[in-house]
Amino acid sequence: MERTTTAAAVAALLAAAALGLAPHQAQAAPAPVAAVAADAPAASPELRFHDIPGSGGITLKGNVFTPAGAVSGRKYPLIVLPTSWGMPQIEYIAQARKLADSGYVVVSYTSRGFWLSGGQIEVAGPPDIADVSAVIDWALANSPADAAHIGLGGVSYGAGISLLASAHDPRIKAVVAMSGWADLIESIYSGRTQHLQAAGMLGAAGYLTGRPGPELQSILGDFLGSRLDREQQMIEWGRKRSAAEQVDRINANGAAIMLGNAWGDTIFPPNQYAKFYERLTGPKRLEFRPGDHATAEGTGLLGLPNDTWTNAHRWFDRHLKGERNGVDTEAPVQIKSRGEGGYEGYADWKSVGSGGTERIALSDSEHVFANVDSGANGGIIFLSSILDQFVKAPPTASIPLLPRAFAAVWQSERHDTARRVRGTVGLHTTVTPTKADGTFVAYLYDVGPLGIGKLVSNAPYTFHDRTPGRAFGVDLELFSTAYDVPAGHRLALVVDTVDPLYIEHNPTGAQLTFSSPRSDPSYVSVPLREQ
């Protein structure tokens, strides 16, 4: 009780600061939304805090902005914003006010199971999706919202819920999903490998700010405990919470979908968003930028200028208001390299690497001992990609000094011209293990004249129940990226068996051999932008 009381007090003070209210104004008892639509227009958007009935009889803590000058009897387009994982209802206040300034009714609410909202954390399960429809119903009954023009959006958890809700509620006409997921399994279990830091952070934040339900507690314990006997149940649980599994329903409902993510998102890597985007058939837009999870949108949540939120507003304006602002005539795929330069527009995701593919042969056989971190790794969740975003300092490794007993290394020749890596790097190789189970992580580095490698991309791969001593083929997609390799540099592929980002499954004494059979040569395929 003490924690929730403190949270409520903090929420009220932050809301007051965001709105420029005096403390006694922020603490005033909520007034009915109907008061907004009075004959005397308000000078600025009106904010009211409300208890909103959710699905199953729980109460959701929410707030409502109505447009300045709202006139009695007039309807306004509605935008609903479910909060991110672990965030309270005031998360979107700065952006909600801007949207209300431009003529929207905006309802934001704390997702069930977090802070003062009722229920338990369901991880975008059916109750969360039903909550969205319940909030829409409530807004239509209690605000001047227009039932024919409804949008949904959010960051992270709010993005995932928004995409799933668009499959179930045909009233939703536009969605903006920022730093979210479309495939939960591909996000935190890619390459059949648990993303340890990502899952651990989400679990810890859930326990600190909310009430995980018994199903989540069980799944999280099985996941982090590497319960292979429960693997199929975990996968099915994740699929039920993945918009990629419901893309046909999303397409049938026809909502206009805008997706945005960061290249270095350590919670929801970009590959799964790109694959989902390609399967959408309605109006759609895909944006990728440098950064980590939610860092591209972060400054906008504070009310600062932010191109992610600017484009989100443009998307809503086009598809809810019908404004001809050009957002639908621009190239629908917009990406920004992790280096210098502005946005690049493409007709579709496949065109991002339309300059051809450079294939680097991995001709030499390499043998590594497992269970030792060679020094090549993907960095630290949030920190590493934030440093890459703001100071162009990705994780690095001295390639010549990597211990060859624990790291397999292949390098290209020096490139005479710059290489603009765009899209998804692929690894094809043959692996021979000495144990039935194992994990390895592949890294692509940009190597300068002094041998210092800057991380371009990486991805993990885990196998189980293989026959020791018997070779098998591996095709692994590294996380999608946009990276400019300067002239005079090399590209290097490094493979080792330990990375703090992931749970590894290498038994004691395990060894791995990476070979390139004549009948099936090993290589790295690097997609490039047209020169």
Side-chain angles (χ1 to χ4, degrees), residues 372-456:
V372 175
D373 189 343
S374 70
N377 61 66
I380 300 172
I381 187 172
F382 293 134
L383 177 61
S384 297
S385 292
I386 289 174
L387 289 174
D388 185 28
Q389 176 182 0
F390 292 108
V391 296
K392 306 295 185 275
T396 60
S398 176
I399 304 303
L401 297 181
L402 289 174
R404 294 309 197 262
F406 309 114
V409 180
W410 298 266
Q411 293 192 76
S412 72
E413 298 297 324
R414 284 192 176 89
H415 297 299
D416 294 332
T417 59
R419 294 292 192 274
R420 297 178 178 180
V421 181
R422 298 290 187 274
T424 306
V425 173
L427 166 63
H428 176 75
T429 189
T430 296
V431 181
T432 306
T434 61
K435 304 288 185 179
D437 306 312
T439 297
F440 66 85
V441 185
Y443 310 89
L444 186 69
Y445 284 100
D446 159 25
V447 185
L450 299 179
I452 301 300
K454 295 183 178 181
L455 186 65
V456 177

Coordinates of all heavy atoms in Angstrom, one line a residue, residues 372-456:
V372 N 34.5 -20.2 -22.5 CA 35.4 -19.1 -22.2 C 35.0 -17.9 -23.1 O 34.9 -18.1 -24.3 CB 36.8 -19.4 -22.4 CG1 37.7 -18.2 -22.2 CG2 37.2 -20.6 -21.5
D373 N 34.8 -16.7 -22.5 CA 34.5 -15.5 -23.3 C 35.8 -15.0 -23.9 O 36.7 -14.7 -23.2 CB 33.9 -14.5 -22.3 CG 33.4 -13.2 -23.1 OD1 33.7 -13.1 -24.3 OD2 32.6 -12.5 -22.5
S374 N 35.8 -15.0 -25.2 CA 37.1 -14.6 -25.9 C 37.4 -13.1 -25.8 O 38.5 -12.6 -26.1 CB 37.0 -15.0 -27.3 OG 36.0 -14.2 -28.0
G375 N 36.3 -12.3 -25.4 CA 36.5 -10.8 -25.4 C 35.6 -10.2 -26.5 O 35.4 -9.0 -26.5
A376 N 35.2 -11.0 -27.5 CA 34.2 -10.6 -28.5 C 32.8 -10.8 -27.9 O 32.5 -11.8 -27.4 CB 34.3 -11.4 -29.7
N377 N 32.0 -9.7 -27.8 CA 30.7 -9.8 -27.3 C 29.8 -8.7 -27.8 O 30.3 -7.7 -28.4 CB 30.6 -9.9 -25.8 CG 31.2 -8.7 -25.1 OD1 30.6 -7.7 -25.1 ND2 32.3 -8.9 -24.3
G378 N 28.5 -8.8 -27.6 CA 27.5 -7.8 -28.1 C 27.3 -6.6 -27.2 O 26.5 -5.8 -27.5
G379 N 28.1 -6.5 -26.1 CA 28.0 -5.4 -25.2 C 27.0 -5.6 -24.1 O 26.7 -6.7 -23.7
I380 N 26.5 -4.5 -23.5 CA 25.6 -4.5 -22.4 C 24.3 -4.0 -22.8 O 24.2 -3.0 -23.5 CB 26.2 -3.7 -21.2 CG1 27.6 -4.3 -20.8 CG2 25.3 -3.6 -20.0 CD1 28.3 -3.4 -19.8
I381 N 23.2 -4.6 -22.4 CA 21.9 -4.1 -22.7 C 21.7 -2.6 -22.5 O 22.2 -2.1 -21.4 CB 20.8 -5.0 -22.0 CG1 19.4 -4.6 -22.5 CG2 20.9 -4.8 -20.5 CD1 18.3 -5.5 -21.9
F382 N 21.1 -1.9 -23.4 CA 20.9 -0.5 -23.4 C 22.2 0.3 -23.5 O 22.4 1.1 -24.5 CB 20.2 0.0 -22.1 CG 18.8 -0.5 -22.0 CD1 18.3 -1.0 -20.8 CD2 17.9 -0.4 -23.0 CE1 17.0 -1.5 -20.7 CE2 16.6 -0.9 -22.9 CZ 16.2 -1.4 -21.7
L383 N 23.2 0.1 -22.6 CA 24.4 1.0 -22.6 C 25.1 1.0 -23.9 O 25.4 2.1 -24.4 CB 25.3 0.6 -21.5 CG 26.6 1.3 -21.3 CD1 26.3 2.8 -21.1 CD2 27.5 0.7 -20.2
S384 N 25.4 -0.2 -24.5 CA 26.3 -0.2 -25.6 C 25.7 0.4 -26.9 O 26.3 1.2 -27.6 CB 26.6 -1.7 -25.9 OG 27.3 -2.3 -24.9
S385 N 24.4 0.1 -27.1 CA 23.7 0.7 -28.3 C 23.5 2.2 -28.1 O 23.4 3.0 -29.1 CB 22.4 0.0 -28.6 OG 22.7 -1.3 -29.0
I386 N 23.3 2.7 -26.8 CA 23.1 4.1 -26.6 C 24.4 4.8 -26.9 O 24.4 5.9 -27.5 CB 22.6 4.3 -25.1 CG1 21.2 3.9 -25.0 CG2 22.8 5.8 -24.8 CD1 20.7 3.9 -23.5
L387 N 25.5 4.2 -26.5 CA 26.8 4.8 -26.8 C 27.0 4.9 -28.3 O 27.5 5.8 -28.9 CB 27.9 4.0 -26.2 CG 28.1 4.2 -24.6 CD1 29.1 3.2 -24.1 CD2 28.4 5.6 -24.2
D388 N 26.6 3.8 -29.0 CA 26.7 3.8 -30.5 C 25.8 4.9 -31.1 O 26.2 5.6 -32.0 CB 26.3 2.4 -31.0 CG 26.4 2.3 -32.5 OD1 27.3 2.9 -33.1 OD2 25.7 1.5 -33.1
Q389 N 24.6 5.1 -30.5 CA 23.7 6.1 -31.0 C 24.2 7.5 -30.9 O 24.1 8.3 -31.8 CB 22.3 5.9 -30.3 CG 21.3 7.0 -30.7 CD 20.0 6.8 -29.9 OE1 19.9 6.0 -29.1 NE2 19.0 7.7 -30.2
F390 N 24.7 7.8 -29.7 CA 25.0 9.2 -29.4 C 26.5 9.6 -29.7 O 26.8 10.8 -30.0 CB 24.6 9.6 -28.0 CG 23.1 9.5 -27.8 CD1 22.5 8.5 -27.1 CD2 22.3 10.5 -28.3 CE1 21.1 8.5 -26.9 CE2 20.9 10.5 -28.2 CZ 20.3 9.5 -27.5
V391 N 27.4 8.7 -29.5 CA 28.8 9.0 -29.6 C 29.5 8.1 -30.6 O 30.7 8.2 -30.7 CB 29.6 9.0 -28.3 CG1 29.0 10.1 -27.4 CG2 29.5 7.7 -27.6
K392 N 28.7 7.3 -31.4 CA 29.3 6.5 -32.4 C 30.4 5.5 -31.9 O 31.4 5.4 -32.5 CB 29.8 7.3 -33.6 CG 28.8 8.3 -34.2 CD 27.7 7.5 -34.8 CE 26.7 8.5 -35.5 NZ 25.7 9.1 -34.6
A393 N 30.1 4.9 -30.7 CA 31.1 4.1 -30.1 C 30.4 2.7 -29.8 O 30.0 2.4 -28.7 CB 31.5 4.7 -28.7
P394 N 30.3 1.8 -30.8 CA 29.8 0.5 -30.6 C 30.8 -0.4 -29.8 O 31.9 0.0 -29.6 CB 29.6 0.0 -32.0 CG 30.7 0.7 -32.8 CD 30.8 2.1 -32.2
P395 N 30.4 -1.6 -29.4 CA 31.3 -2.5 -28.7 C 32.5 -2.8 -29.7 O 32.4 -2.9 -30.9 CB 30.5 -3.7 -28.5 CG 29.1 -3.2 -28.4 CD 29.0 -2.1 -29.4
T396 N 33.7 -2.9 -29.1 CA 34.9 -3.1 -29.9 C 35.7 -4.3 -29.4 O 35.5 -4.8 -28.2 CB 35.8 -1.9 -29.8 OG1 36.2 -1.6 -28.5 CG2 35.1 -0.6 -30.4
A397 N 36.6 -4.8 -30.2 CA 37.5 -5.9 -29.8 C 38.7 -5.8 -30.7 O 38.7 -5.3 -31.8 CB 36.8 -7.2 -30.0
S398 N 39.9 -6.1 -30.1 CA 41.1 -6.1 -30.8 C 41.2 -7.5 -31.6 O 41.4 -8.5 -30.9 CB 42.3 -6.0 -29.9 OG 43.5 -6.1 -30.7
I399 N 40.9 -7.5 -32.8 CA 40.8 -8.7 -33.6 C 42.1 -9.5 -33.5 O 42.1 -10.8 -33.3 CB 40.3 -8.5 -35.0 CG1 39.0 -7.7 -35.0 CG2 40.2 -9.8 -35.8 CD1 37.9 -8.3 -34.2
P400 N 43.3 -8.9 -33.7 CA 44.5 -9.7 -33.7 C 44.8 -10.4 -32.3 O 45.5 -11.4 -32.3 CB 45.6 -8.7 -34.0 CG 44.9 -7.6 -34.8 CD 43.6 -7.5 -34.1
L401 N 44.3 -9.7 -31.3 CA 44.6 -10.2 -29.9 C 43.5 -11.2 -29.4 O 43.7 -11.7 -28.3 CB 44.7 -9.1 -28.9 CG 45.8 -8.1 -29.2 CD1 45.8 -7.0 -28.2 CD2 47.2 -8.8 -29.3
L402 N 42.5 -11.5 -30.1 CA 41.5 -12.5 -29.7 C 42.1 -13.8 -29.6 O 42.8 -14.3 -30.5 CB 40.3 -12.5 -30.7 CG 39.4 -11.3 -30.7 CD1 38.3 -11.5 -31.8 CD2 38.7 -11.1 -29.4
P403 N 42.0 -14.5 -28.4 CA 42.6 -15.8 -28.3 C 42.0 -16.9 -29.2 O 40.8 -17.2 -29.1 CB 42.3 -16.2 -26.8 CG 41.1 -15.4 -26.4 CD 41.2 -14.1 -27.3
R404 N 42.8 -17.4 -30.1 CA 42.3 -18.3 -31.1 C 41.8 -19.6 -30.6 O 41.1 -20.4 -31.3 CB 43.3 -18.5 -32.2 CG 43.7 -17.2 -33.0 CD 42.4 -16.5 -33.6 NE 42.7 -15.6 -34.6 CZ 42.8 -14.3 -34.5 NH1 42.7 -13.8 -33.3 NH2 43.0 -13.5 -35.5
A405 N 42.2 -20.0 -29.4 CA 41.7 -21.2 -28.8 C 40.2 -21.1 -28.5 O 39.5 -22.1 -28.4 CB 42.5 -21.5 -27.5
F406 N 39.7 -19.8 -28.3 CA 38.4 -19.6 -27.9 C 37.5 -18.8 -28.8 O 36.4 -18.6 -28.6 CB 38.3 -18.9 -26.5 CG 39.2 -19.6 -25.5 CD1 40.3 -19.0 -24.9 CD2 38.9 -20.9 -25.0 CE1 41.1 -19.6 -24.0 CE2 39.7 -21.5 -24.1 CZ 40.8 -20.9 -23.6
A407 N 38.2 -18.4 -29.9 CA 37.4 -17.6 -30.9 C 37.9 -17.9 -32.3 O 39.1 -18.0 -32.6 CB 37.7 -16.1 -30.7
A408 N 36.9 -18.3 -33.2 CA 37.2 -18.5 -34.6 C 37.2 -17.2 -35.3 O 36.2 -16.4 -35.1 CB 36.2 -19.5 -35.2
V409 N 38.2 -16.9 -36.2 CA 38.3 -15.6 -36.8 C 38.5 -15.7 -38.3 O 39.4 -16.5 -38.7 CB 39.4 -14.7 -36.2 CG1 39.5 -13.3 -36.9 CG2 39.1 -14.5 -34.7
W410 N 37.8 -15.0 -39.1 CA 38.0 -15.0 -40.6 C 37.9 -13.5 -41.0 O 37.1 -12.7 -40.5 CB 36.9 -15.7 -41.4 CG 36.9 -17.2 -41.1 CD1 37.5 -18.2 -41.8 CD2 36.1 -17.8 -40.1 NE1 37.1 -19.4 -41.3 CE2 36.2 -19.2 -40.3 CE3 35.2 -17.4 -39.1 CZ2 35.6 -20.2 -39.5 CZ3 34.6 -18.3 -38.3 CH2 34.8 -19.7 -38.5
Q411 N 38.8 -13.1 -41.9 CA 38.8 -11.7 -42.3 C 38.8 -11.6 -43.8 O 39.4 -12.4 -44.5 CB 40.1 -10.9 -41.8 CG 40.1 -10.8 -40.2 CD 41.2 -9.8 -39.8 OE1 41.0 -8.6 -39.9 NE2 42.3 -10.3 -39.3
S412 N 38.2 -10.5 -44.3 CA 38.2 -10.2 -45.7 C 39.5 -9.5 -46.1 O 40.2 -9.1 -45.2 CB 37.0 -9.3 -46.1 OG 37.2 -8.0 -45.6
E413 N 39.7 -9.3 -47.4 CA 40.8 -8.4 -47.8 C 40.3 -6.9 -47.5 O 39.2 -6.7 -47.2 CB 41.0 -8.5 -49.3 CG 41.4 -9.9 -49.7 CD 42.8 -10.3 -49.1 OE1 43.6 -9.4 -49.0 OE2 43.0 -11.5 -48.8
R414 N 41.3 -6.0 -47.5 CA 41.0 -4.6 -47.3 C 40.2 -4.1 -48.5 O 40.5 -4.5 -49.6 CB 42.3 -3.8 -47.2 CG 42.9 -3.9 -45.8 CD 44.0 -2.8 -45.6 NE 44.6 -2.9 -44.3 CZ 45.6 -3.7 -44.0 NH1 46.2 -4.4 -44.9 NH2 46.1 -3.7 -42.7
H415 N 39.1 -3.4 -48.2 CA 38.3 -2.8 -49.2 C 38.8 -1.5 -49.7 O 39.1 -0.6 -49.0 CB 36.9 -2.6 -48.7 CG 36.2 -3.9 -48.2 ND1 35.9 -5.0 -49.0 CD2 35.7 -4.3 -47.0 CE1 35.4 -5.9 -48.3 NE2 35.2 -5.5 -47.1
D416 N 38.9 -1.4 -51.1 CA 39.4 -0.2 -51.7 C 38.3 0.9 -51.6 O 38.7 2.1 -51.6 CB 39.7 -0.4 -53.1 CG 40.9 -1.4 -53.3 OD1 41.8 -1.4 -52.4 OD2 41.0 -2.1 -54.3
T417 N 37.1 0.6 -51.5 CA 36.0 1.5 -51.4 C 35.1 1.3 -50.2 O 35.2 0.2 -49.6 CB 35.1 1.5 -52.7 OG1 34.6 0.2 -52.8 CG2 35.9 1.9 -53.9
A418 N 34.4 2.3 -49.8 CA 33.5 2.1 -48.6 C 32.4 1.0 -48.9 O 32.0 0.8 -50.1 CB 32.9 3.4 -48.3
R419 N 32.0 0.3 -47.9 CA 31.0 -0.6 -48.0 C 29.8 -0.2 -47.1 O 30.0 0.1 -45.9 CB 31.4 -2.0 -47.5 CG 32.5 -2.7 -48.4 CD 31.9 -3.1 -49.7 NE 32.8 -3.9 -50.5 CZ 33.8 -3.5 -51.2 NH1 34.1 -2.2 -51.3 NH2 34.5 -4.4 -51.9
R420 N 28.6 0.0 -47.7 CA 27.5 0.4 -47.0 C 26.6 -0.8 -46.7 O 25.8 -1.2 -47.5 CB 26.7 1.5 -47.8 CG 27.5 2.8 -48.0 CD 26.7 3.8 -48.9 NE 27.4 5.0 -49.1 CZ 27.0 6.0 -49.8 NH1 25.8 6.0 -50.3 NH2 27.7 7.1 -49.9
V421 N 26.8 -1.4 -45.6 CA 26.1 -2.6 -45.2 C 24.6 -2.2 -44.9 O 24.4 -1.3 -44.1 CB 26.7 -3.3 -44.0 CG1 25.9 -4.5 -43.6 CG2 28.2 -3.6 -44.3
R422 N 23.7 -2.8 -45.5 CA 22.3 -2.5 -45.4 C 21.4 -3.8 -45.3 O 21.4 -4.6 -46.3 CB 21.7 -1.6 -46.5 CG 22.4 -0.3 -46.6 CD 22.0 0.7 -45.5 NE 22.5 2.0 -45.6 CZ 23.7 2.4 -45.3 NH1 24.6 1.6 -44.8 NH2 24.1 3.7 -45.5
G423 N 20.8 -4.1 -44.2 CA 19.9 -5.2 -44.2 C 20.4 -6.3 -43.2 O 20.9 -6.0 -42.2
T424 N 20.2 -7.5 -43.6 CA 20.4 -8.7 -42.7 C 21.6 -9.5 -43.3 O 21.5 -10.1 -44.3 CB 19.2 -9.5 -42.6 OG1 18.1 -8.7 -42.3 CG2 19.4 -10.7 -41.6
V425 N 22.7 -9.5 -42.5 CA 23.8 -10.3 -42.8 C 23.5 -11.8 -42.5 O 22.9 -12.1 -41.5 CB 25.1 -9.9 -42.0 CG1 26.3 -10.8 -42.2 CG2 25.4 -8.4 -42.4
G426 N 23.9 -12.7 -43.4 CA 23.7 -14.1 -43.2 C 25.0 -14.9 -43.1 O 26.0 -14.7 -43.8
L427 N 25.0 -15.9 -42.2 CA 26.1 -16.8 -42.0 C 25.7 -18.2 -42.4 O 24.6 -18.7 -42.0 CB 26.5 -16.8 -40.5 CG 27.5 -18.0 -40.1 CD1 28.8 -17.9 -40.9 CD2 27.7 -18.0 -38.6
H428 N 26.5 -18.9 -43.3 CA 26.3 -20.3 -43.6 C 27.5 -21.0 -43.3 O 28.6 -20.6 -43.8 CB 25.9 -20.4 -45.1 CG 25.8 -21.8 -45.5 ND1 24.7 -22.6 -45.2 CD2 26.7 -22.7 -46.2 CE1 24.9 -23.8 -45.7 NE2 26.1 -23.9 -46.3
T429 N 27.4 -22.0 -42.5 CA 28.7 -22.7 -42.1 C 28.3 -24.2 -41.7 O 27.1 -24.6 -41.6 CB 29.4 -22.0 -40.9 OG1 30.6 -22.6 -40.7 CG2 28.5 -22.1 -39.6
T430 N 29.3 -25.0 -41.5 CA 29.2 -26.3 -41.0 C 29.8 -26.5 -39.6 O 31.0 -26.1 -39.5 CB 29.8 -27.3 -42.0 OG1 29.1 -27.2 -43.3 CG2 29.7 -28.8 -41.5
V431 N 29.1 -27.1 -38.7 CA 29.6 -27.2 -37.3 C 29.7 -28.7 -36.9 O 28.8 -29.4 -37.2 CB 28.6 -26.5 -36.3 CG1 29.1 -26.6 -34.9 CG2 28.5 -25.0 -36.7
T432 N 30.8 -29.0 -36.3 CA 30.9 -30.3 -35.7 C 31.2 -30.2 -34.2 O 32.2 -29.6 -33.8 CB 32.1 -31.1 -36.4 OG1 32.0 -31.1 -37.8 CG2 32.2 -32.5 -35.8
P433 N 30.3 -30.7 -33.4 CA 30.4 -30.5 -31.9 C 31.0 -31.8 -31.3 O 30.9 -32.9 -31.9 CB 29.0 -30.3 -31.5 CG 28.2 -31.2 -32.4 CD 28.9 -31.2 -33.8
T434 N 31.6 -31.6 -30.1 CA 32.0 -32.8 -29.4 C 31.0 -33.2 -28.3 O 31.1 -34.2 -27.7 CB 33.3 -32.5 -28.6 OG1 33.1 -31.4 -27.7 CG2 34.4 -32.2 -29.6
K435 N 29.9 -32.4 -28.1 CA 28.8 -32.7 -27.2 C 27.5 -32.5 -28.0 O 27.4 -31.9 -29.0 CB 28.9 -31.7 -26.0 CG 30.2 -31.7 -25.2 CD 30.4 -33.0 -24.4 CE 31.7 -32.9 -23.6 NZ 31.9 -34.1 -22.8
A436 N 26.5 -33.1 -27.4 CA 25.1 -33.0 -28.0 C 24.5 -31.7 -28.0 O 23.7 -31.3 -28.9 CB 24.2 -34.0 -27.3
D437 N 24.9 -30.8 -27.0 CA 24.3 -29.5 -26.9 C 25.4 -28.4 -27.0 O 26.6 -28.7 -26.8 CB 23.6 -29.3 -25.6 CG 22.6 -30.4 -25.3 OD1 21.8 -30.7 -26.2 OD2 22.6 -31.0 -24.2
G438 N 25.0 -27.2 -27.4 CA 26.0 -26.2 -27.5 C 25.4 -24.8 -27.9 O 24.3 -24.8 -28.4
T439 N 26.2 -23.8 -27.7 CA 25.8 -22.4 -28.2 C 27.0 -21.7 -28.7 O 28.1 -21.9 -28.2 CB 25.3 -21.6 -27.0 OG1 24.1 -22.2 -26.4 CG2 25.0 -20.2 -27.4
F440 N 26.8 -21.0 -29.8 CA 27.9 -20.1 -30.3 C 27.2 -18.8 -30.7 O 26.0 -18.7 -30.9 CB 28.7 -20.7 -31.4 CG 28.0 -20.9 -32.7 CD1 27.8 -19.9 -33.6 CD2 27.4 -22.2 -33.0 CE1 27.1 -20.1 -34.8 CE2 26.7 -22.4 -34.2 CZ 26.6 -21.3 -35.1
V441 N 28.1 -17.7 -30.7 CA 27.6 -16.4 -31.1 C 28.5 -15.9 -32.2 O 29.7 -16.0 -32.1 CB 27.6 -15.4 -29.9 CG1 27.1 -14.1 -30.3 CG2 26.9 -16.0 -28.7
A442 N 27.9 -15.4 -33.3 CA 28.6 -14.9 -34.4 C 28.6 -13.4 -34.4 O 27.6 -12.8 -34.1 CB 28.0 -15.4 -35.7
Y443 N 29.7 -12.8 -34.7 CA 29.9 -11.3 -34.7 C 30.5 -10.9 -36.0 O 31.4 -11.5 -36.5 CB 30.8 -10.9 -33.6 CG 30.5 -11.4 -32.2 CD1 31.1 -12.6 -31.8 CD2 29.7 -10.7 -31.3 CE1 30.8 -13.1 -30.6 CE2 29.4 -11.3 -30.1 CZ 30.0 -12.5 -29.7 OH 29.7 -13.0 -28.4
L444 N 30.0 -9.8 -36.6 CA 30.6 -9.2 -37.7 C 31.2 -7.9 -37.3 O 30.5 -7.0 -36.7 CB 29.6 -8.9 -38.8 CG 30.1 -8.4 -40.2 CD1 31.0 -9.5 -40.9 CD2 29.0 -7.9 -41.1
Y445 N 32.5 -7.7 -37.6 CA 33.2 -6.5 -37.2 C 33.7 -5.7 -38.4 O 34.1 -6.3 -39.4 CB 34.4 -6.9 -36.3 CG 34.1 -7.3 -34.9 CD1 34.1 -8.6 -34.5 CD2 33.9 -6.3 -33.9 CE1 33.8 -9.0 -33.2 CE2 33.6 -6.7 -32.6 CZ 33.6 -8.0 -32.3 OH 33.3 -8.4 -31.0
D446 N 33.8 -4.4 -38.2 CA 34.5 -3.5 -39.1 C 35.9 -3.3 -38.5 O 36.0 -2.7 -37.4 CB 33.7 -2.2 -39.2 CG 34.5 -1.0 -39.6 OD1 35.5 -1.2 -40.4 OD2 34.2 0.2 -39.3
V447 N 36.9 -3.8 -39.2 CA 38.2 -3.8 -38.6 C 39.1 -2.7 -39.3 O 39.3 -2.7 -40.5 CB 38.9 -5.1 -38.8 CG1 40.3 -5.2 -38.1 CG2 38.0 -6.2 -38.3
G448 N 39.6 -1.8 -38.5 CA 40.4 -0.7 -39.0 C 41.9 -1.1 -39.1 O 42.3 -2.2 -38.9
P449 N 42.7 -0.1 -39.6 CA 44.2 -0.4 -39.9 C 44.9 -1.0 -38.6 O 45.9 -1.7 -38.8 CB 44.7 0.9 -40.3 CG 43.5 1.7 -40.8 CD 42.4 1.2 -40.0
L450 N 44.5 -0.6 -37.4 CA 45.2 -1.0 -36.2 C 44.6 -2.3 -35.7 O 45.0 -2.8 -34.6 CB 45.1 0.1 -35.2 CG 45.8 1.4 -35.5 CD1 45.6 2.4 -34.4 CD2 47.3 1.2 -35.9
G451 N 43.7 -2.9 -36.4 CA 43.1 -4.2 -35.9 C 42.0 -4.1 -34.9 O 41.5 -5.1 -34.4
I452 N 41.5 -2.8 -34.6 CA 40.4 -2.7 -33.7 C 39.1 -2.9 -34.5 O 38.8 -2.2 -35.5 CB 40.4 -1.3 -33.1 CG1 41.7 -1.1 -32.3 CG2 39.2 -1.1 -32.2 CD1 41.9 -2.1 -31.2
G453 N 38.3 -3.8 -34.0 CA 37.0 -4.1 -34.7 C 35.9 -3.4 -34.0 O 35.7 -3.5 -32.8
K454 N 35.0 -2.8 -34.8 CA 33.8 -2.2 -34.3 C 32.6 -3.1 -34.7 O 32.5 -3.5 -35.8 CB 33.6 -0.8 -34.8 CG 34.6 0.2 -34.4 CD 34.3 1.6 -35.0 CE 35.3 2.6 -34.5 NZ 35.0 4.0 -35.0
L455 N 31.8 -3.4 -33.7 CA 30.7 -4.4 -34.0 C 29.7 -3.8 -35.0 O 29.1 -2.8 -34.8 CB 30.0 -4.7 -32.6 CG 29.0 -5.8 -32.7 CD1 29.6 -7.2 -33.1 CD2 28.2 -6.0 -31.4
V456 N 29.5 -4.6 -36.0 CA 28.5 -4.3 -37.0 C 27.2 -5.0 -36.7 O 26.1 -4.4 -36.7 CB 29.0 -4.7 -38.4 CG1 27.9 -4.4 -39.5 CG2 30.2 -3.9 -38.8

